Amino acid sequence: MSPQSQGSRGTPGRVSSAAPRLDVDALIDDPRTQIVVCCGSGGVGKTTTAAALGLRAAESGRRVVVLTIDPARRLAQSLGLTELDNTPRPVTDIDATAGGSLHAMMLDMKRTFDEVVIAHSEPGKAEQILANPFYQAVSSSFAGTQEYMAMEKLGQLKASAGTPDAPWDLIVVDTPPSRSALDFLDAPNRLGSFLDGRFIRLLTAPAKAGGRAGLKVFGVGVQLVTSTMTKILGGQMLTDVQTFVNALDTMFGGFRERADETYRLLSEDGTAFLVVAAPERDALREASYFVDRLEADGMPLAGLVVNRIGRVSATGVTPARALAAAESLEDGGGPKSASNAAGLLRLHAALVRTAERQRELADRFSRSHPGIPVVQVPALGRDVHDLDGLREIGHALAGS
């Protein structure tokens, strides 16, 4: 990405002295930024961050679509939508005075797989594939299908961008929780390994060879393997598998090319990866993994978002002074109001210590990853369930 510049809508928030500030506004306002990928472990506020980024970008004039791969429904609720599905839906009630717009959608991997089959197969063959029992199982639950289809959907959104039906010029991606959030980076290679595997070659060999010559060459070996697999899987299932593989053979080649193209897209300067973490040891350890993996793959890492940092308004009262004052009130044996004040002082001490611990963990991450831009988002103390809440998160992301 281009070097971060000072944003026009925010002032620097408190970050580690060892870390440069992540300028979110400069990132999303830059028309060269076309894809923002939010990744991180579960429960760190990644979905909310993606939605808040999308809303802030849209209200600053960008035309945005937010793609979530997380099955949680929080994104739809926060954006005021009844539900999300595989089709981008316009989000109303945003401030569009700057000319921006906002759409949102949730990945439906089976429907996306069906769309790929229909778009890249002859009509008769497409119907055959869609009705195949093995395909129906693979498209719903096969390991890696979600990641393959995430690559496919992202490629579709990018290819259609700028058209009347797809006005977006910025795509914000909310990835699955935990380390699987980066599995889609491996989709092309994993797909190639699946297609080039010995089992698939055996199933497709007779069809590719064709005619009696093919039967003579492959007959003995295939019959032996087929006989064994029929005993294990059953004749009908084996037939379904063979029909599925033969029907998808040419289509998969096209999908592999498109997945490779999407991978290249993710590595270009128009893409920015944001790692999202909570100020906890395990979450920051996962964030460290994401940062190392992205850097190893040469992916454009924009920076780290540390969510839900504790904040204390009475910063001049240290935990030691608060606890000393609480003990003095309790020892005095005064009225109930004194007891309540002592309790508040002890709560203040606990909150300050928690905030200090969280900031130290964030600082430790920055010392281990010098040069990674960071923004710390204060805890709101309430759930985000509407556009106003997302705007508040957006302001915090920008350091406002």
Side-chain angles (χ1 to χ4, degrees):
M1 297 297 299
S2 60
Q4 303 282 335
S5 59
Q6 181 66 35
S8 59
R9 290 177 285 142
T11 55
R14 193 279 186 196
V15 298
S16 166
S17 58
R21 185 178 71 91
L22 172 61
D23 193 337
V24 168
D25 278 345
L27 179 69
I28 61 177
D29 288 347
D30 189 342
R32 292 171 295 181
T33 303
Q34 300 176 3
I35 300 173
V36 175
V37 182
C38 298
C39 54
S41 56
V44 298
K46 182 164 46 62
T47 299
T48 302
T49 298
L53 281 172
L55 177 62
R56 188 169 181 83
E59 293 189 333
S60 70
R62 298 297 300 271
R63 296 181 296 277
V64 187
V65 60
V66 178
L67 165 64
T68 181
I69 308 172
D70 188 337
R73 301 289 174 178
R74 294 187 305 276
L75 182 61
Q77 296 168 353
S78 298
L79 295 172
L81 298 175
T82 304
E83 61 180 354
L84 290 180
D85 55 22
N86 212 48
T87 301
R89 306 290 181 187
V91 178
T92 58
D93 298 328
I94 73 167
D95 182 357
T97 56
S101 64
L102 180 60
H103 288 71
M105 64 170 295
M106 179 183 293
L107 178 71
D108 182 329
M109 64 180 180
K110 185 181 188 311
R111 184 174 168 186
T112 301
F113 212 149
D114 291 348
E115 292 172 352
V116 173
V117 170
I118 294 170
H120 299 283
S121 302
E122 298 176 359
K125 182 169 286 189
E127 293 178 5
Q128 181 186 23
I129 296 171
L130 295 176
N132 184 282
F134 186 72
Y135 166 77
Q136 293 173 4
V138 167
S139 61
S140 301
S141 57
F142 189 67
T145 300
Q146 186 181 57
E147 287 74 31
Y148 302 153
M149 293 306 110
M151 292 286 280
E152 182 71 28
K153 181 56 68 175
L154 177 57
Q156 290 175 6
L157 291 173
K158 186 62 177 68
S160 64
T163 63
D165 293 332
W168 43 83
D169 56 27
L170 175 63
I171 303 169
V172 180
V173 182
D174 167 37
T175 58
S178 192
R179 296 189 177 187
S180 62
L182 294 180
D183 282 353
F184 65 89
L185 296 178
D186 298 322
N189 289 333
R190 292 172 63 189
L191 181 61
S193 299
F194 171 73
L195 293 174
D196 296 333
R198 180 177 298 178
F199 175 68
I200 299 300
R201 291 201 305 270
L202 282 171
L203 291 176
T204 58
K208 289 183 177 179
R212 293 185 177 181
L215 291 177
K216 288 181 180 179
V217 173
F218 296 102
V220 176
V222 171
Q223 287 176 12
L224 178 61
V225 173
T226 300
S227 175
T228 302
M229 289 192 296
T230 299
K231 293 177 181 178
I232 298 173
L233 303 176
Q236 184 59 48
M237 181 176 178
L238 180 60
T239 300
D240 292 339
V241 173
Q242 289 174 319
T243 302
F244 164 76
V245 172
N246 289 331
L248 287 182
D249 184 45
T250 56
M251 192 199 75
F252 259 138
F255 176 63
R256 178 161 43 185
E257 292 176 2
R258 292 191 302 278
D260 286 335
E261 179 60 31
T262 303
Y263 184 90
R264 287 191 293 270
L265 183 68
L266 289 172
S267 64
E268 294 176 352
D269 286 344
T271 297
F273 282 83
L274 288 178
V275 176
V276 183
E280 302 296 338
R281 193 180 308 275
D282 289 344
L284 286 168
R285 186 180 297 117
E286 285 291 294
S288 181
Y289 162 80
F290 285 120
V291 167
D292 292 342
R293 169 69 195 277
L294 290 168
E295 291 184 333
D297 286 5
M299 293 294 170
L301 173 63
L304 173 73
V305 175
V306 184
N307 268 332
R308 298 196 287 266
I309 286 280
R311 56 181 176 181
V312 180
S313 56
T315 55
V317 182
T318 66
R321 290 180 62 188
L323 291 176
E327 290 179 1
S328 176
L329 288 171
E330 291 168 343
D331 291 343
K336 185 177 180 180
S337 58
S339 177
N340 292 338
L344 289 174
L345 286 167
R346 291 189 180 278
L347 177 60
H348 170 81
L351 291 175
V352 171
R353 285 176 172 170
T354 296
E356 290 175 346
R357 177 182 60 82
Q358 291 175 342
R359 294 188 186 283
E360 172 55 31
L361 288 171
D363 289 351
R364 188 181 305 170
F365 174 94
S366 293
R367 289 193 294 270
S368 300
H369 299 83
I372 301 296
V374 177
V375 62
Q376 295 180 0
V377 179
L380 292 186
R382 57 182 174 80
D383 291 335
V384 175
H385 55 78
D386 56 19
L387 291 177
D388 286 339
L390 290 177
R391 289 189 184 98
E392 190 172 352
I393 293 293
H395 288 312
L397 283 166
S400 301

